[in-house]
């Protein structure tokens, strides 16, 4: 059974930082691209970052480029998202997700496996 469990969310002031983690199980983690997807209240899901199998290739949505960094540790089956310079508009539930078709990584509705998510709230 594929399981993805996120942690590390919380409340932070604008300009602050958080680091999210996602522990994967039930599949060979190093065989898959992985993404972070977020969903703000009342809005649809937004893909924000993807990382290749070896961790050397990444891509970001324009909304987070230059502020967020995706990384992975295949020895620990863990995905990370370092978030810096956080803004109120970054407030959302953050999910890690397995990429089953690398051609569709930026399309949130094409993901089959998501974690339950971790809440990030940016507020003063």
């Amino acid at each position: 059974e594929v399981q993805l469990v996120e942690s590390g969310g919380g409340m932070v002031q604008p300009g602050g930082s958080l680091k999210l983690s996602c522990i994967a199980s039930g599949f060979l983690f190093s065989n898959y691209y992985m993404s972070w997807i977020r969903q703000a209240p009342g809005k649809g899901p937004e893909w924000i970052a993807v990382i290749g199998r070896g961790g050397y290739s990444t891509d970001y949505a324009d909304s987070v480029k230059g502020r967020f960094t995706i990384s992975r540790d295949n020895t620990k089956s863990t995905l990370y998202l370092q978030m810096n310079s956080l803004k109120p508009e970054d407030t959302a539930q953050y999910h890690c997700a397995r990429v089953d078709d690398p051609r569709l990584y930026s399309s949130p509705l094409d993901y089959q496996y998501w974690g339950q998510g971790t809440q990030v709230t940016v507020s003063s």
Side-chain angles (χ1 to χ4, degrees), residues 18-56:
L18 281 175
K19 186 173 185 177
L20 308 184
S21 299
C22 169
I23 298 176
S25 62
F27 65 100
L28 188 53
F29 182 72
S30 60
N31 276 7
Y32 290 86
Y33 285 58
M34 296 292 297
S35 281
W36 287 96
I37 295 169
R38 68 185 181 185
Q39 187 160 15
K43 295 187 177 181
E46 176 191 15
W47 168 82
I48 56 171
V50 67
I51 188 166
R53 299 178 186 92
Y56 302 111

Side-chain angles (χ1 to χ4, degrees), residues 33-37 46-52 57-61 65 70 97-111 114:
Y33 285 58
M34 296 292 297
S35 281
W36 287 96
I37 295 169
E46 176 191 15
W47 168 82
I48 56 171
V50 67
I51 188 166
S57 59
T58 59
D59 193 18
Y60 298 90
K65 195 171 294 182
I70 188 172
R98 191 180 85 175
V99 180
D100 288 318
D101 186 346
R103 299 170 299 176
L104 302 175
Y105 69 75
S106 64
S107 176
L109 298 181
D110 286 305
Y111 283 77
W114 298 45

Side-chain angles (χ1 to χ4, degrees), residues 2-7 20-27 29 34 36 76-80 96 115:
V2 174
Q3 287 194 322
L4 299 166
V5 180
E6 302 91 341
S7 62
L20 308 184
S21 299
C22 169
I23 298 176
S25 62
F27 65 100
F29 182 72
M34 296 292 297
W36 287 96
K76 297 180 179 179
S77 296
T78 302
L79 180 72
Y80 301 101
C96 65

